[in-house]
Amino acid sequence: MSSISTQPGLKSGAAWLASATPELVDAFLAELDDNALLALPWIFEFWALPHQLPPAGAWKSWVIMGGRGAGKTRAGAEWVRAQVEGARPSDPGRAGRVALVGETFDQVRDVMIFGDSGIIACSPPDRRPEWEATKRRLVWPNGATAQAFSAHEPEALRGPQFDAAWVDELAKWKKAEETWDMLQFALRLGEHPQQVITTTPRNVGVLKAILNNPSTVVTHAPTEANRAYLAGSFLEEVRARYAGTRLGRQELEGVLLDDIEGALWTTSVLEGCRIEKAPEFDRVVVAVDPAVTGNAGSDECGIVVVGAVTRGPVQDWRACVLEDASARGKPTDWARAAIAAMERWGAEKLVAEVNQGGDLVESVVRQIDPLVPFKALRAARGKSARAEPVAALYEQGRVKHLRHGHLGQLEDQMCRMTVAGYEGRGSPDRVDALVWALTELIIEPAAHWRRPQVRGL
């Protein structure tokens, strides 16, 4: 699988036109004859964002993976146009028989065909296909056809044959694997049949299998990449609600998030523990899993802020993860970041693991603030063993996550921590900091409460 993403500095023709001086715009338009001016709105290569254009090469499957509103549907519709249209309205194109597959027939019709970014809206008048409702198909002036299929009926793909296919939102299909398999058998016409998959990513096996196939190429973009064509109020709302969350990384950034088998936390558990507003806390701590070295290849320093309500019996104590303030840089950089987080949240103390750094960790912190309340922690067990009782608190519903705490990357690490160890790259620095915070606030007090008290004579 090969992949490209939209990058700052990569401009479409439209972006260039929007940022050009009036003189350059006038000069550009003056060079176009009447036919070129009339055709310009329909030339998608001019208006497209980089992730909406097909990658080069002899690929079989092109996955356009992006956030909500990133322009995936428009890219799929324009690709179908490019396959079926010839140089003139009656000339044949590269493909003559196309499969359009969505979750339901209604979604194929309402989104892929008649939607604001669907095939009909994207087609110029002289090449616009006709919809034959009884046959559930589009017919172009040159005779090319596109047949609509529902993923609820995979057997309907047994028999027909095609030289191109557009698959929309595959990751949410109930019968995704069966439908995909039937489509692969049907995609057998022409010299090199191809298919496009437009989807917001989800952790489903069929999508991961497609992405791992060597004949697959991927383009990717977040919702923000298409902001010029989205309502400002929509962007404000989704940013406010989902920015920095694990769900936001999937739905807005278009990132495929894995739930590892045997993981101590899952996406569903984390999404179920999210709250909008933090309660009034009895205790707040900042926990640090320090990166003692500060070179370019060193791990981040995990810095996590957690508050707890500790009124009543210890088994009733609750906690909320307030912020992930993790930082990369020199030791003094992360020390400043940790102390700044303490000030923002009124934390009572800073707790830090000192297994690797020893006294150096406290020394670095006191260079920034000599009077900071500091507690050194030493790990006697492995990371997974320390994390298991913390994961149990989540299962009991005793830990919440503040929605606006920028916790997306922390949650990614949490979903890669298993009983057998960490399955991600690098060190689970953010999870370590989380574990130390909740250990300080709830795990250790609970253990102390359960220990028998031995009185002297």
Side-chain angles (χ1 to χ4, degrees):
M1 178 191 76
S2 61
S3 151
I4 67 169
S5 298
T6 56
Q7 301 291 336
L10 288 176
K11 288 186 177 181
S12 66
W16 173 85
L17 202 61
S19 60
T21 64
E23 292 77 16
L24 283 174
V25 173
D26 289 343
F28 168 75
L29 296 176
E31 292 177 358
L32 304 179
D33 60 25
D34 290 345
N35 287 334
L37 282 171
L38 290 172
L40 188 60
W42 309 104
I43 300 174
F44 188 59
E45 290 83 355
F46 182 83
W47 304 101
L49 296 167
H51 72 280
Q52 294 177 305
L53 295 174
W59 46 268
K60 172 67 180 295
S61 304
W62 171 25
V63 179
I64 307 172
M65 197 157 61
R68 300 286 186 91
K72 302 183 296 295
T73 302
R74 177 68 185 272
E78 293 286 359
W79 181 81
V80 171
R81 275 192 59 205
Q83 299 308 299
V84 301
E85 291 180 7
R88 292 171 297 185
S90 59
D91 291 346
R94 289 189 292 270
R97 299 180 69 177
V98 182
L100 303 176
V101 192
E103 185 177 21
T104 65
F105 283 118
D106 287 348
Q107 290 182 1
V108 175
R109 182 192 64 224
D110 297 342
V111 177
M112 301 171 72
I113 295 173
F114 287 102
D116 291 341
S117 299
I119 293 170
I120 298 291
C122 295
S123 299
D126 61 341
R127 296 158 191 264
R128 189 165 295 155
E130 295 290 332
W131 172 243
E132 296 182 348
T134 57
K135 296 182 178 180
R136 290 176 172 169
R137 72 175 186 177
L138 286 171
V139 181
W140 274 264
N142 63 3
T145 61
Q147 186 76 41
F149 293 91
S150 166
H152 287 294
E153 300 177 14
E155 289 297 312
L157 285 159
R158 189 185 294 274
Q161 53 186 356
F162 307 97
D163 48 14
W166 173 20
V167 168
D168 190 48
E169 294 296 355
L170 172 142
K172 70 173 186 175
W173 294 356
K174 294 288 193 298
K175 299 180 179 180
E177 191 165 352
E178 302 96 310
T179 305
W180 178 258
D181 288 342
M182 288 298 100
L183 177 61
Q184 301 318 292
F185 288 118
L187 201 62
R188 57 180 184 260
L189 292 181
E191 294 182 3
H192 184 61
Q194 293 177 305
Q195 56 200 341
V196 164
I197 303 96
T198 52
T199 190
T200 303
R202 285 188 181 180
N203 183 36
V204 294
V206 64
L207 178 59
K208 292 194 289 186
I210 295 168
L211 294 173
N212 289 330
N213 194 315
S215 64
T216 296
V217 295
V218 179
T219 58
H220 167 267
T223 299
E224 286 284 337
N226 201 35
R227 59 186 177 275
Y229 301 99
L230 300 173
S233 58
F234 163 77
L235 289 172
E236 290 175 9
E237 177 68 21
V238 295
R239 284 180 195 140
R241 186 168 180 82
Y242 301 110
T245 69
R246 185 167 169 84
L247 183 62
R249 284 172 58 74
Q250 173 179 284
E251 300 295 326
L252 298 182
E253 298 178 32
V255 176
L256 179 61
L257 304 175
D258 283 337
D259 279 341
I260 306 297
E261 185 175 354
L264 296 177
W265 291 273
T266 65
T267 298
S268 60
V269 166
L270 295 177
E271 289 305 323
C273 73
R274 212 170 301 288
I275 60 174
E276 297 289 340
K277 184 179 179 181
E280 184 177 341
F281 297 112
D282 300 304
R283 299 183 63 198
V284 177
V285 301
V286 173
V288 175
D289 180 59
V292 178
T293 59
N295 55 54
S298 65
D299 291 320
E300 284 184 305
C301 172
I303 304 171
V304 174
V305 186
V306 180
V309 178
T310 56
R311 295 181 288 275
V314 70
Q315 64 266 27
D316 293 336
W317 291 6
R318 299 288 187 269
C320 180
V321 185
L322 301 172
E323 182 185 357
D324 177 2
S326 301
R328 192 186 299 276
K330 301 187 296 294
T332 51
D333 293 331
W334 59 252
R336 288 190 181 91
I339 291 171
M342 290 185 68
E343 293 173 352
R344 280 195 299 276
W345 293 99
E348 67 181 58
K349 73 172 69 170
L350 187 152
V351 299
E353 180 183 340
V354 298
N355 282 48
Q356 295 185 38
D359 294 339
L360 174 63
V361 175
E362 183 174 0
S363 174
V364 170
V365 171
R366 297 208 181 281
Q367 286 180 44
I368 308 303
D369 184 350
L371 301 179
V372 66
F374 180 88
K375 180 178 179 179
L377 303 170
R378 293 189 180 274
R381 298 183 296 165
K383 295 178 185 295
S384 295
R386 297 198 308 270
E388 285 186 58
V390 172
L393 294 178
Y394 280 80
E395 292 178 6
Q396 297 163 7
R398 296 174 63 187
V399 184
K400 302 297 182 182
H401 281 196
L402 188 63
R403 185 178 296 278
H404 307 302
H406 304 289
L407 305 178
Q409 290 179 282
L410 165 64
E411 292 171 353
D412 284 352
Q413 286 192 359
M414 294 171 72
C415 291
R416 292 180 178 275
M417 178 65 77
T418 75
V419 293
Y422 183 58
E423 298 292 333
R425 294 182 180 178
S427 171
D429 36 67
R430 300 165 190 261
V431 176
D432 283 345
L434 170 75
V435 168
W436 285 123
L438 286 167
T439 298
E440 170 67 19
L441 290 171
I442 295 183
I443 302 295
E444 276 298 319
H448 178 75
W449 178 75
R450 293 188 185 99
R451 292 189 195 111
Q453 302 296 313
V454 179
R455 296 185 179 182
L457 295 176

